[in-house]
Amino acid sequence: GPHSTPASSPPSPALPATPSPALTRTRASSVKNVCTSLLEHCEEIRCRASAMLKRTFLAALAARAGGADDDDDEDGDTKPRRLGETFVRKLAITEYNKLSVQDRTSCLAALCSAVLECPSLYQELEAAMREKDSLMKRLREVQRDEKKLRIALTTSSSAAAAAAAANGSDGAADQQAQKAEDEELKQAQKAELADLVVEKEEILARVQIVTDEINRMPLGLDRRFNRYWHLKLSQEKGDAFLLIEDASDHSLRIVKDKASLDTLMSKLNPRGFRESKLIKALEKKAQDILPCLPAQSCKVTPPEASMDFMTGFKTEAWAICSKEYRKPPSSEVDYAEHPKTFLVEKLKADLLDVHYTLPSDAFDDEAWDGPSVWIAKVKSATKVYDLRDILGELEGAIKDKYLDADHFNRSPRVVPGAWVPRDADFDDDDEDQGASQSQGADDDDDEEEGYIANEGDVSWLPPTTSALQYRLRCLDAACTFRRSTKPMCVRIDAYKYIQRDNPRNKDGTNFTVIAANGQAKVTTTYTRER
């Protein structure tokens, strides 16, 4: 059969029962070479699979971030949608006092970020640095005087003892008088020394406060670059926190008790470059950190301002009427009678005050229906939408010579999506059509977006009392109510400093100053050092 062995084939030799040492070494070497080849092949496959997986992940991530429309990608007209902050979107439809604590905190953080770029902050820092220099100079003088007094006290005591031993019993009366004089001088020196010690402690405390104002530094960093802060809420030692700021998302964690602090100290590496310094800083601050442990719970409740607080801010028009011993219309309003709509009543009263204080010839009769009709509209209005149109009517009726155009723009460029997001269902065809119309209307404004609002058109303002009050206060500050009185925006220096977005200096600053003649000029010679 096919599997039968031919008769002519020789018999196979018999294998030895135990292999020889040379054959064993040969087989082991072959197995080792095969295993090494397999390991190298597996490593090559793993590297190729990892690279392929990475490319696939990056491609999927880029496709997700780049947008969904291939047509827009081909045209090259895709623009990332600016979503904006949550509190900004809520402020477009609701009042500030109705925001949650988280939204108010986000708003406060945004305002702090804006203040950090303000030139006035650099002036405050420079003033704090000058104060620190004067304090350090006085501190050196106090320390020098303290050292002299301590040396004088020690020297006088030893000299008095040596004189008493030399005189012995002779001149007992003179010795007693000299001793009384030395004791009196010693008491005066001790009192002066005590005053110097108190002054030194006060200077050191003030130096620490000024140093924190100039540059508050963290206690240190750990291996993951997390920053550790000791935050004091008041002068009491127990009213403080030991915070850990995460390096990735800047979230904060609190060390709640001493057991957590001991665990943290045990996990830090004393040989590490950053953690060794952090350990020394924590040990140095132990007297301030331990009294604030365990950390007390901080209850955060939404603040509710009283009606008197929210209606107590007067306008410039009200101040001028008071100086002239005239009674403004807002003085006749009792906000307690309108507990639910007192913000609307406050806005109406401020509108009437501005109109009442302006001269009768400050309005253009062709721009509105007349003062009597406008006053009737204000008094009968009950909705914020109506008051927004009434405010725009007042803006459009005021003549140009009664307004400071450098601080109040009646025709701003309104850009959709500048501070609130555009509608997610915005039609691309409508966008293209609107773009073509704007291009056909004005070829010079190809790169500029939005439209220029007409005088008196404030429909772009959010329909809230906060937005309308802010616009009205800007108008109130820019109005020239009397020829002998300059507008508030000219009298107050804070209106002269404007911080632009684009930096001009090498250190990232941009000082835009409104000159006396009304021109806005950018000063590039000022730096943080100056």
Side-chain angles (χ1 to χ4, degrees), residues 85-108 111 300-304 464 466:
E85 297 288 345
T86 306
F87 73 91
V88 179
R89 299 200 297 270
K90 291 182 179 179
L91 282 177
I93 57 176
T94 186
E95 303 293 344
Y96 174 79
N97 57 350
K98 295 183 180 179
L99 296 180
S100 62
V101 175
Q102 183 178 2
D103 292 331
R104 296 189 191 191
T105 307
S106 302
C107 182
L108 179 62
L111 291 176
V300 180
T301 57
E304 295 181 1
T464 61
S466 303

Side-chain angles (χ1 to χ4, degrees), residues 115-394:
V115 169
L116 290 177
E117 298 297 330
C118 179
S120 302
L121 179 66
Y122 306 143
Q123 297 175 2
E124 293 293 332
L125 291 177
E126 291 175 0
M129 292 174 67
R130 289 194 296 268
E131 183 181 358
K132 183 180 180 181
D133 293 339
S134 62
L135 288 173
M136 294 302 296
K137 182 179 178 180
R138 177 57 185 166
L139 179 62
R140 288 191 292 268
E141 295 175 356
V142 170
Q143 290 176 344
R144 185 167 56 249
D145 295 341
E146 180 187 3
K147 184 178 180 181
K148 290 180 180 180
L149 282 175
R150 293 186 184 279
I151 294 175
L153 285 172
T154 306
T155 306
S156 62
S157 299
S158 58
N167 294 332
S169 59
D170 300 336
D174 296 340
Q175 184 178 357
Q176 191 70 19
Q178 184 66 30
K179 185 177 181 181
E181 292 179 1
D182 293 342
E183 187 67 23
E184 184 179 357
L185 178 62
K186 187 176 181 181
Q187 293 297 329
Q189 290 177 345
K190 286 184 177 180
E192 186 178 358
L193 180 61
D195 294 339
L196 288 176
V197 171
V198 172
E199 185 180 0
K200 184 179 71 172
E201 293 177 355
E202 293 177 354
I203 293 175
L204 289 174
R206 183 59 188 169
V207 166
Q208 183 63 36
I209 294 175
V210 175
T211 303
D212 291 341
E213 291 179 359
I214 297 173
N215 189 9
R216 183 184 294 272
M217 299 296 294
L219 296 178
L221 308 175
D222 60 11
R223 69 194 74 175
R224 297 179 179 85
F225 296 95
N226 300 324
R227 296 193 290 183
Y228 290 73
W229 300 89
H230 180 237
L231 181 62
K232 293 182 179 180
L233 303 181
S234 65
Q235 296 298 330
E236 298 180 3
K237 290 187 176 181
D239 194 9
F241 293 104
L242 180 59
L243 302 176
I244 304 176
E245 181 184 1
D246 192 87
S248 57
D249 57 356
H250 300 285
S251 60
L252 297 177
R253 290 174 292 171
I254 297 178
V255 178
K256 60 180 181 178
D257 50 20
K258 190 177 183 302
S260 302
L261 181 61
D262 295 339
T263 304
L264 172 66
M265 296 290 290
S266 64
K267 297 297 182 181
L268 296 177
N269 184 9
R271 297 183 179 180
F273 177 74
R274 290 177 294 274
E275 294 187 355
S276 60
K277 298 180 180 179
L278 177 60
I279 292 174
K280 293 180 181 179
L282 291 174
E283 291 175 350
K284 185 177 180 181
K285 284 279 187 179
Q287 296 180 354
D288 298 331
I289 295 175
L290 292 178
C292 67
L293 297 177
Q296 302 295 329
S297 60
C298 184
K299 297 181 180 179
V300 180
T301 57
E304 295 181 1
S306 63
M307 184 183 300
D308 296 336
F309 177 80
M310 301 181 73
T311 59
F313 292 96
K314 307 300 182 182
T315 59
E316 175 71 5
W318 183 93
I320 291 177
C321 287
S322 300
K323 291 180 181 178
E324 297 175 351
Y325 300 101
R326 299 168 62 190
K327 195 173 183 180
S330 60
S331 60
E332 301 177 356
V333 180
D334 187 8
Y335 300 108
E337 296 180 357
H338 313 278
K340 294 184 179 180
T341 60
F342 69 94
L343 291 176
V344 176
E345 297 298 327
K346 170 65 175 174
L347 179 59
K348 293 166 62 175
D350 291 341
L351 282 169
L352 293 174
D353 284 352
V354 173
H355 171 265
Y356 177 75
T357 312
L358 281 170
S360 58
D361 59 345
F363 303 99
D364 188 2
D365 296 336
E366 297 180 357
W368 64 344
D369 298 332
S372 59
V373 178
W374 184 84
I375 293 174
K377 289 181 180 179
V378 174
K379 293 182 177 180
S380 61
T382 57
K383 296 182 179 180
V384 182
Y385 285 95
D386 300 333
L387 289 174
R388 182 174 64 178
D389 298 336
I390 292 172
L391 174 60
E393 189 175 353
L394 177 65

Side-chain angles (χ1 to χ4, degrees), residues 388-413:
R388 182 174 64 178
D389 298 336
I390 292 172
L391 174 60
E393 189 175 353
L394 177 65
E395 284 187 14
I398 299 177
K399 295 180 180 179
D400 294 337
K401 65 178 182 179
Y402 289 93
L403 276 177
D404 192 311
D406 293 328
H407 295 92
F408 189 82
N409 187 7
R410 289 194 287 183
S411 300
R413 177 174 290 277

